[in-house]
Amino acid sequence: MTYQPYTVMGAERDSRFLITCDHATNVVPPELGGSLGLPEADMLRHIAFDPGAEGVARALADTLGAPAILSNFSRLVIDPNRGEDDPTVLMRLYDGSVIPGNRPSDGAEKARRLNAYHRPYHDALEQLATRRNDTVLVSVHSFTPQLRGRRPRPWHVGILHAWDARLSDPLIAALERERDIVVGRNEPYPGHLPGDSMDRHALKHGRPNTLIELRQDIIATPEQQQAWGDRLAPLLVEALTNVTD
């Protein structure tokens, strides 16, 4: 069976929403030996994928009746949420961990991984995005509660955006009405990197978009992931009613 670097669910669904999950899994493809030389504990950390994000993305897509695309390779193999020329697209050191399988990687190996994993994922994403002329992109990510040597992060949810905040602004307003949620705008990361997924598939095409970051400890179980998918869906629908295309 040929290795597939992405998974599509609900391709036949006709919702305006398209759910993406760039860091869905910590899989290292078989042709790379199934390992990058890291211990299992590191492969279960946020450096390898976004724990909990896949479950939320699936739940959100199901609740919205929307298609979703999920990566099927670790961000350490090649990061699909980075532009091809970004120096962090192929990491050799991440949050204190050296990635042995990436240390000898040269330009040829980077090009091979782009062709094998990164580009097929983005080609499939764009094909889904063009199924309608009014697609709305929602990207689901998760963030670690605390980086090594740093302060704990107080936000439950971060909403990330660049200059196009048509969807993010009303979504933040809706989340701020929820008394039990601490919301961050462009927290814990800035909302835009040139060439990243949203830049490539939303900003360059004028598509309304938002990137949702959820703290990993609140989406650790399948039940929590389903609950957040169910909770976010109506808030996104409400936010979209305030968007002027």
Side-chain angles (χ1 to χ4, degrees), residues 57-74:
R58 288 181 176 273
L60 184 59
D62 282 340
T63 304
L64 289 170
I69 182 167
L70 309 102
S71 67
N72 190 33
F73 54 94
S74 171

Side-chain angles (χ1 to χ4, degrees), residues 88-216:
T88 65
V89 72
L90 203 168
M91 295 287 281
R92 293 170 175 81
L93 174 69
Y94 197 166
D95 194 23
S97 293
V98 174
I99 297 92
N102 289 350
R103 291 187 71 180
S105 298
D106 56 13
E109 176 59 15
K110 174 185 170 183
R112 193 194 72 77
R113 295 189 193 183
L114 286 170
N115 283 326
Y117 317 120
H118 193 282
R119 289 170 182 155
Y121 172 78
H122 283 288
D123 288 347
L125 198 167
E126 186 58 27
Q127 184 175 0
L128 284 168
T130 56
R131 81 202 189 288
R132 295 181 57 129
N133 60 13
D134 59 353
T135 293
V136 176
L137 249 62
V138 177
S139 189
V140 179
H141 292 251
S142 71
F143 63 94
T144 185
Q146 185 174 10
L147 291 172
R148 289 177 175 176
R150 305 285 184 88
R151 293 181 178 180
R153 290 162 161 173
W155 312 281
H156 298 103
V157 184
I159 302 300
L160 278 55
H161 63 86
W163 58 86
D164 182 357
R166 287 175 293 168
L167 184 61
S168 294
D169 281 347
L171 180 58
I172 290 169
L175 285 163
E176 286 177 339
R177 295 199 306 267
E178 306 282 309
R179 300 285 185 174
D180 59 332
I181 299 176
V182 178
V183 186
R185 181 188 293 271
N186 286 330
E187 298 287 1
Y189 313 109
H192 175 60
L193 287 171
D196 68 11
S197 284
M198 285 305 202
D199 183 36
R200 182 169 180 170
H201 299 287
L203 299 176
K204 283 183 167 57
H205 300 274
R207 295 171 180 141
N209 65 90
T210 194
L211 190 154
I212 301 172
E213 289 270 5
L214 293 155
R215 207 175 65 201
Q216 288 160 12

